[in-house]
């Protein structure tokens, strides 16, 4: 039996006494000399035939009249008898045939109460013992049953039976805890594997069995038994790496576009592995202009860094481009990873990258994608500013420089004022942040597309969703399998979002009804909601006048007011001037739009 404890699986010897005897040396059988026509024989052919037996009222004389089609049925009968009565059993002495042609065949077997015999004193009083000895459970109980094979018909009859116990029987609520009654049956094992493949944890699986059985005491095994059988299955198979690669090969047969690549260390052990399926490659081709990637831990048995490439799709939902498990973080590992990612995506390079600013990641991005614009997560910058400076008033100005819609000159003025006011000229972190301003300041990254990604909230949400499918302790094959199941679940949600965008029409809320209806027809529902907020603001202004120059068109607008006439707008304090640069005929880009107050 495999025992689970302290994160390790150890082998515990089953205290079963197996000895070989010659059949003629045993005592005279009781009631065995009678023929079948002299006895009222009950034949049992398996566990399914036990339902007609009332074990609580079963007498010794009735047990002597029972025959079994095989030795396993005899063991199962006595084990079920012990479960109902309140004791567990194990196999004891066995007799084998020595006749020519049948050498080694079992001809009789004794099953005893698990409290039979005595523990050797040498196992109790040991000077080298580091842990307390286990409680003494063997008290010399003499309860037993002996079954013997009838060579005429091949059935097993009860040769001897004794129900004399010298200890108290256990209560019914302890039935599922006794050793011989804790076996996981094959049908239960199939159900365990099915539930695990659905992403359920072992305690949740045990809860499901309790609900099916009518209570925890009726399950028939314990939580640690599930852990033991899972580990036994793992050991019975090939190595984890071989199983993982075989599973990826199976996915390749289903999806010809499936891509994976791995590297080995000096000892020919798996070092890094990356994989992505055909759907992820297609998503990157469509939504890969902005890519975020970060490393997380605790999602696999080996506690190795797990790196996931992700972004947002047309429903403003997370979309995954690929993932990797690395043996360790470092520039060499990330350079390998980014080059493999470039190969998987058919040479399409990253344009905009956002992550937490890890130095190894930054260096690897500069090596593999020198043209990509690298942006830092705002949340990490605010956390570092609090730790490195910690002045609340500086934090207010830093947040304005970080997220405010400022011109470059305004950024410089606010930054320099903050440095002077709080005396941070020699602060190394402040100087480093100013040198990296093109990686985080809205003023300096204007015109660069990042799909609204600024903080780690989406990455954290993604990791939380993955945590519902991937649990700590999964080996590599299980990790890959459950991650692919998560992708299927996530893509199913995209289909639901497509349906919601295609079915029905939003209620018109603005005065620009035709424009709003057209936007509802061409945008997904989530993007349309964002667009309508801007449209609501735009519908509250009216163009007062326009003037076209050689480079742009100047519009003068004022807040919409139904009671005022058009000429009254010139009397309002400070009408807005909107400049639209005509960089291309019929096209206005985001950096070509400027409002002058």
């Amino acid at each position: 039996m495999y025992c689970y404890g302290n994160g390790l699986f150890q082998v515990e010897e089953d205290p079963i006494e197996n000895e070989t005897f010659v059949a003629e040396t045993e005592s005279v059988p009781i009631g065995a000399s009678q023929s079948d026509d002299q006895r009222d024989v009950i034949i049992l052919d398996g566990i399914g035939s036990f339902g007609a037996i009332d074990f609580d009222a079963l007498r010794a004389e009735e047990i002597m009249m029972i025959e079994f089609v095989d030795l396993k049925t005899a063991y199962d009968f006595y084990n079920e008898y012990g479960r109902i009565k309140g004791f567990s059993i194990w196999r004891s002495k066995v007799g084998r045939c020595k006749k020519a042609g049948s050498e080694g065949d079992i001809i009789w077997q004794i099953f005893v109460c698990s409290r039979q015999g005595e523990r050797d004193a040498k196992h109790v009083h040991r000077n080298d013992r580091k842990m307390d000895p286990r409680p003494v459970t063997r008290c010399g109980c003499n309860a037993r049953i002996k079954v013997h094979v009838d060579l005429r018909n091949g059935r097993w009859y009860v040769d001897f039976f004794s129900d004399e116990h010298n200890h108290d029987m256990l209560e019914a609520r302890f039935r599922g805890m006794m050793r011989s009654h804790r076996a996981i049956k094959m049908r239960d094992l199939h159900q365990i594997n099915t539930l695990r493949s659905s992403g359920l944890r072992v305690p949740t699986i045990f809860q499901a069995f309790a609900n099916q059985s009518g209570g925890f005491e009726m399950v028939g095994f314990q939580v640690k038994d599930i852990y033991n059988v899972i580990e036994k299955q793992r050991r019975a198979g090939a190595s984890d790496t071989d199983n993982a690669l075989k599973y990826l090969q199976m996915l390749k047969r289903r999806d010809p576009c499936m891509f994976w690549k791995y590297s080995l260390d000096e000892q020919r052990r798996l070092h890094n592995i990356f994989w992505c399926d055909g759907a992820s490659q297609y998503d990157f081709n469509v939504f890969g202009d902005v890519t975020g990637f970060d490393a997380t831990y605790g999602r696999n048995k080996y506690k190795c860094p797990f790196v996931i490439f992700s972004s947002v799709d047309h429903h403003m939902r997370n979309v995954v481009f690929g993932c990797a498990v690395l043996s360790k973080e470092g520039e060499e590992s990330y350079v390998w990873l980014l080059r493999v990612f470039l190969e998987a995506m058919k040479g399409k390079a990253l344009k905009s990258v956002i992550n937490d600013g890890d130095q190894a990641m930054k260096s690897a991005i500069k090596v593999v994608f020198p043209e990509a614009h690298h942006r830092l997560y705002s949340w990490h910058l605010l956390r570092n500013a609090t730790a490195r400076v910690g002045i609340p008033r500086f934090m207010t100005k830093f947040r304005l420089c970080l997220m405010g819609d400022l011109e470059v000159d305004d950024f410089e003025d606010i930054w320099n004022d903050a440095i002077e006011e709080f005396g941070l000229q020699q602060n190394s972190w402040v100087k480093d942040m100013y040198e990296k301003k093109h990686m985080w300041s809205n003023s300096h990254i204007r015109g660069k597309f990042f799909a609204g990604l600024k903080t780690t909230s989406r990455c954290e949400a993604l990791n939380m969703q993955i945590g519902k499918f991937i649990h700590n302790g999964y080996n590599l094959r299980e990790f890959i399998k459950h991650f692919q199941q998560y992708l299927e679940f996530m893509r199913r949600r995209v289909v639901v979002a497509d349906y919601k965008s295609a079915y029905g029409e939003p209620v018109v809320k603005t005065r620009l009804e035709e424009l709003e209806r057209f936007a509802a027809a061409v945008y997904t529902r989530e993007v349309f909601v964002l667009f309508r907020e801007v449209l609501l603001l735009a519908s509250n202004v009216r163009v007062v006048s326009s003037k076209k120059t050689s480079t742009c068109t100047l519009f003068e607008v004022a807040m919409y007011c139904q009671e005022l006439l058009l000429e009254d707008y010139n009397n309002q304090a400070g009408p807005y001037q909107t400049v639209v640069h005509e960089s291309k005929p019929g096209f206005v880009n985001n950096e070509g739009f400027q409002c002058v107050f």
Side-chain angles (χ1 to χ4, degrees):
M1 177 179 293
Y2 295 96
C3 294
Y4 182 83
N6 298 327
L8 299 175
F9 292 91
Q10 299 175 345
V11 177
E12 181 183 5
E13 295 294 338
D14 193 357
I16 298 177
E17 301 176 11
N18 290 308
E19 301 181 18
T20 303
F21 292 84
V22 182
E24 290 75 12
T25 62
E26 191 59 27
S27 59
V28 178
I30 299 176
S33 59
Q34 295 175 324
S35 61
D36 288 349
D37 55 357
Q38 295 176 315
R39 298 191 304 163
D40 188 11
V41 177
I42 301 174
I43 301 176
L44 301 180
D45 57 0
I47 295 178
S49 60
F50 297 169
I53 300 176
D54 184 1
F55 286 93
D56 281 323
L58 196 61
R59 296 175 301 169
E61 295 80 4
E62 296 172 334
I63 294 177
M64 296 296 299
M65 298 298 177
I66 297 176
E67 292 187 0
F68 313 96
V69 296
D70 53 31
L71 185 60
K72 182 180 183 302
T73 303
Y75 173 85
D76 292 337
F77 169 82
Y78 193 55
N79 192 38
E80 180 66 12
Y81 177 81
R83 188 184 73 85
I84 300 300
K85 294 294 186 179
F87 66 95
S88 62
I89 70 169
W90 67 44
R91 296 175 177 85
S92 183
K93 297 178 182 179
V94 60
R96 299 183 183 275
C97 181
K98 291 189 176 181
K99 294 181 180 180
S102 301
E103 295 90 348
D105 292 346
I106 297 177
I107 57 176
W108 57 264
Q109 172 85 63
I110 297 177
F111 306 116
V112 300
C113 173
S114 61
R115 306 194 68 173
Q116 176 265 350
E118 303 285 345
R119 181 181 296 183
D120 291 340
K122 65 179 181 179
H123 296 308
V124 179
H125 306 290
R126 290 175 51 184
N127 297 328
D128 59 343
R129 184 182 295 277
K130 297 182 179 180
M131 300 178 61
D132 291 338
R134 291 180 298 174
V136 176
T137 59
R138 303 178 70 175
C139 58
C141 180
N142 289 320
R144 65 187 59 206
I145 186 174
K146 177 186 177 184
V147 293
H148 201 292
V149 65
D150 189 339
L151 299 179
R152 296 172 300 172
N153 53 29
R155 295 199 296 263
W156 294 74
Y157 61 89
V158 179
D159 193 25
F160 178 84
F161 175 77
S162 172
D163 203 25
E164 298 178 1
H165 296 270
N166 61 353
H167 55 87
D168 295 332
M169 299 291 102
L170 292 174
E171 300 176 20
R173 58 195 178 100
F174 299 131
R175 289 174 178 173
M177 301 179 185
M178 293 181 282
R179 176 171 296 182
S180 64
H181 310 309
R182 279 167 41 192
I184 297 180
K185 301 178 177 61
M186 187 59 63
R187 64 176 183 271
D188 295 334
L189 180 59
H190 290 324
Q191 187 173 355
I192 289 171
N193 292 333
T194 300
L195 294 176
R196 289 187 70 244
S197 65
S198 300
L200 296 184
R201 301 173 186 266
V202 170
T204 306
I205 294 175
F206 187 67
Q207 175 69 54
F209 276 97
N211 293 337
Q212 292 179 180
S213 305
F216 290 100
E217 67 277 3
M218 303 299 294
V219 173
F221 49 85
Q222 298 298 306
V223 174
K224 70 176 183 179
D225 297 322
I226 303 179
Y227 284 113
N228 289 343
V229 73
I230 291 173
E231 182 62 18
K232 185 177 181 180
Q233 289 181 112
R234 288 173 177 170
R235 293 184 178 183
S239 67
D240 188 19
T241 301
D242 293 338
N243 286 333
L245 296 180
K246 289 179 181 178
Y247 181 74
L248 289 172
Q249 187 65 42
M250 182 192 70
L251 295 180
K252 178 73 172 180
R253 291 193 293 268
R254 298 178 182 176
D255 179 7
C257 295
M258 186 74 190
F259 177 92
W260 78 89
K261 198 167 188 177
Y262 60 91
S263 63
L264 304 175
D265 60 10
E266 294 80 3
Q267 286 77 34
R268 304 292 297 173
R269 297 175 301 184
L270 186 66
H271 193 230
N272 305 314
I273 184 171
F274 168 87
W275 72 94
C276 64
D277 57 15
S280 293
Q281 297 171 41
Y282 176 82
D283 289 337
F284 179 78
N285 188 52
V286 178
F287 307 112
D289 290 340
V290 181
T291 303
F293 73 98
D294 199 3
T296 185
Y297 300 88
R299 295 297 180 198
N300 54 77
K301 178 180 179 180
Y302 310 105
K303 309 302 180 186
C304 292
F306 169 52
V307 182
I308 184 169
F309 296 83
S310 63
S311 186
V312 294
D313 61 7
H314 54 309
H315 293 291
M316 304 305 295
R317 293 180 178 272
N318 289 321
V319 58
V320 174
F321 303 142
C323 62
V325 176
L326 308 179
S327 60
K328 60 181 179 180
E329 289 190 283
E331 182 178 349
E332 180 182 357
S333 296
Y334 284 124
V335 168
W336 177 88
L337 175 60
L338 292 179
R339 286 175 175 167
V340 172
F341 182 82
L342 181 63
E343 179 184 353
M345 300 307 166
K346 309 299 188 297
K348 180 179 178 180
L350 298 178
K351 297 180 180 179
S352 298
V353 184
I354 180 170
N355 61 19
D356 60 1
D358 179 82
Q359 186 59 43
M361 289 185 180
K362 179 183 176 182
S363 301
I365 292 171
K366 189 174 295 185
V367 171
V368 183
F369 302 108
E371 301 298 327
H373 192 84
H374 187 185
R375 181 173 183 173
L376 305 179
Y377 282 131
S378 301
W379 184 85
H380 286 86
L381 296 177
L382 292 173
R383 183 188 62 178
N384 293 339
T386 302
R388 300 297 184 90
V389 179
I391 303 175
R393 293 172 59 193
F394 171 80
M395 292 295 300
T396 301
K397 293 189 175 182
F398 179 73
R399 186 178 288 105
L400 179 61
C401 293
L402 176 63
M403 299 183 177
D405 189 10
L406 306 174
E407 298 296 328
V408 174
D409 293 339
D410 296 331
F411 170 87
E412 296 292 339
D413 292 340
I414 296 174
W415 183 267
N416 292 329
D417 290 343
I419 299 301
E420 291 293 334
E421 180 179 356
F422 303 108
L424 300 173
Q425 294 85 350
Q426 303 304 320
N427 188 296
S428 59
W429 182 84
V430 172
K431 292 191 294 184
D432 183 56
M433 284 297 100
Y434 183 76
E435 293 176 358
K436 297 178 179 177
K437 58 187 176 182
H438 292 280
M439 300 177 66
W440 57 269
S441 169
N442 276 351
S443 303
H444 294 84
I445 65 175
R446 181 174 294 154
K448 306 295 183 181
F449 181 63
F450 284 97
L453 297 179
K454 292 182 180 179
T455 67
T456 59
S457 58
R458 285 194 172 272
C459 288
E460 292 168 356
L462 184 63
N463 290 330
M464 182 182 67
Q465 293 172 1
I466 293 175
K468 298 177 181 178
F469 290 80
I470 301 176
H471 309 144
N472 297 337
Y474 278 175
N475 60 27
L476 185 58
R477 184 193 182 280
E478 294 170 332
F479 182 89
I480 296 174
K481 178 180 179 181
H482 286 83
F483 183 80
Q484 292 300 122
Q485 290 180 346
Y486 162 72
L487 291 183
E488 294 298 326
F489 171 78
M490 185 177 64
R491 289 161 184 165
R492 173 61 184 172
R493 297 178 64 183
V494 174
V495 175
V496 175
D498 287 338
Y499 166 77
K500 291 181 178 179
S501 295
Y503 188 76
E505 297 180 357
V507 177
V508 176
K509 290 186 176 181
T510 68
R511 299 180 181 91
L512 306 175
E513 296 183 5
E514 294 300 325
L515 181 59
E516 185 177 356
R517 287 196 178 95
F518 177 76
V522 297
Y523 290 144
T524 61
R525 192 61 52 86
E526 294 79 8
V527 175
F528 170 74
V529 171
L530 298 177
F531 170 79
R532 186 165 58 184
E533 296 298 324
V534 179
L535 188 61
L536 284 169
L537 297 176
S539 63
N540 290 329
V541 299
R542 178 179 294 180
V543 177
V544 177
S545 63
S546 63
K547 181 180 180 181
K548 190 170 184 177
T549 67
S550 59
T551 59
C552 66
T553 300
L554 178 64
F555 293 91
E556 186 175 0
V557 299
M559 293 301 296
Y560 180 85
C561 184
Q562 190 173 8
E563 290 79 8
L564 294 179
L565 298 176
L566 181 61
E567 57 268 17
D568 293 334
Y569 281 106
N570 294 325
N571 299 326
Q572 302 299 316
Y576 301 103
Q577 289 183 340
T578 303
V579 181
V580 179
H581 294 273
E582 296 181 345
S583 56
K584 293 181 180 180
F587 175 80
V588 179
N589 55 21
N590 58 340
E591 66 267 22
F593 183 86
Q594 180 181 7
C595 291
V596 181
F597 300 92

